[in-house]
Amino acid sequence: MAKGAYGAYRKAMGDVYGGWWLTWPLTQRVRVTDVRALHDDGSVSAGTLADRGIKAEPGPAGAHADLAYDAAGTVAVRFKAAGAAAQGFTSVPAAEAGARVEFHAGRSALVVYTGLEQEGLDDVSGLARELVRRFWLGTWDADLFTVTDVISARSGTVLTAEEAGATAELRVQGSAGPGPLQLADLAAGVTFGASSRVGLNWTGKDVTPCYRGVRIRRTWLRRVTEEYGTPQPGRGLATGPVPPVLLDEAGDETWSVVERVGPDERP
């Protein structure tokens, strides 16, 4: 089980994006058509489809949205307007707007993202056909998976608590609009002030909080290798052209040939 800051963040995001891989560290960029390999509790980069001469294009991104998650109500946020003094603030000057975050439970997190949008691969069936072709020729490692969906964010802020009673103060800079501060204002233009027992305080722009992908389905692999042999040069699957029936299956019954791979689906 994940521990520390990542464990708190994973627990919080799992409530919202269960079945998705979480990008960690948060500064890591992941894009649709990336190729990745499973590693420990996550995955690591293994290049891109383009590196392997495979053409694939993402479709149009979805509508923008915001996310504010406070670990099932275990986090309290108190705002301070610019030019006003507020009790309890020790590191936010009276002239500046700010927020004080208090955690009432350990391993909890405050996660705020703005400008969220989802982007996905435009043609998964075409990808499935190409993976079948490459697997037949022995040039595709069936343990790899391809990123087919990515959720990106224009900006975000993440705080985690090591234990109950953790606190943090944030200065909110010019990004805040007119009117009272909102949680979404904490996603950008903040700097961190005094904190106590906080495991992680992070803010950034143009990030990809989570992603998911597909790989060749394990049951399909077993059936094909039992029928045709293993994909080794000079024998087995690579002895001739890929049977049209397998390509047709990949195109017409795509999800019988490929499967989602995520933290909940991995073996």
Side-chain angles (χ1 to χ4, degrees):
M1 178 179 292
K3 297 180 179 179
Y6 176 63
Y9 177 69
R10 178 174 172 177
K11 179 182 177 182
M13 290 292 285
D15 287 345
V16 185
Y17 292 113
W20 291 71
W21 292 103
L22 300 181
T23 303
W24 193 267
L26 294 167
T27 53
Q28 182 182 183
R29 293 299 305 272
V30 180
R31 296 176 174 82
V32 175
T33 74
D34 281 357
V35 177
R36 300 186 68 84
L38 299 178
H39 179 71
D40 293 336
D41 288 332
S43 71
V44 294
S45 175
T48 66
L49 290 179
D51 294 340
R52 295 162 169 79
I54 300 175
K55 294 183 178 181
E57 296 292 336
H64 287 266
D66 296 336
L67 167 69
Y69 186 84
D70 68 351
T74 63
V75 182
V77 181
R78 195 154 52 88
F79 294 104
K80 186 189 85 65
Q87 187 176 3
F89 285 80
T90 62
S91 62
V92 179
E96 297 183 16
R100 179 177 173 84
V101 182
E102 300 176 352
F103 295 88
H104 301 311
R107 294 195 67 210
S108 57
L110 174 68
V111 180
V112 185
Y113 285 115
T114 59
L116 284 169
E117 63 179 20
Q118 183 174 340
E119 187 178 48
L121 193 66
D122 201 36
D123 182 13
V124 177
S125 62
L127 171 65
R129 287 172 58 89
E130 193 59 40
L131 296 185
V132 167
R133 192 189 313 276
R134 299 298 179 103
F135 174 73
W136 183 268
L137 296 174
T139 59
W140 179 264
D141 184 345
D143 289 330
L144 298 175
F145 72 92
T146 302
V147 176
T148 56
D149 299 274
V150 163
I151 292 177
S152 60
R154 184 172 58 249
S155 57
T157 295
V158 177
L159 293 95
T160 66
E162 293 182 348
E163 57 185 274
T167 61
E169 293 182 17
L170 294 80
R171 298 189 183 107
V172 182
Q173 298 169 339
S175 60
L181 290 172
Q182 306 290 328
L183 277 174
D185 293 320
L186 302 183
V190 301
T191 55
F192 298 102
S195 65
S196 173
R197 292 171 285 183
V198 170
L200 170 70
N201 49 14
W202 175 91
T203 186
K205 296 182 179 180
D206 299 323
V207 294
T208 51
C210 46
Y211 59 95
R212 62 184 181 183
V214 300
R215 66 181 175 191
I216 298 177
R217 184 175 288 275
R218 291 300 181 257
T219 53
W220 186 89
L221 283 173
R222 287 194 293 269
R223 177 171 65 82
V224 171
T225 53
E226 286 172 2
E227 184 173 351
Y228 296 100
T230 55
Q232 299 177 29
R235 55 173 291 196
L237 301 184
T239 57
V242 56
V245 65
L246 298 183
L247 294 176
D248 290 343
E249 188 176 356
D252 299 336
E253 302 175 42
T254 302
W255 294 105
S256 70
V257 176
V258 296
E259 62 185 353
R260 292 276 183 209
V261 57
D264 300 328
E265 289 84 10
R266 63 180 298 171

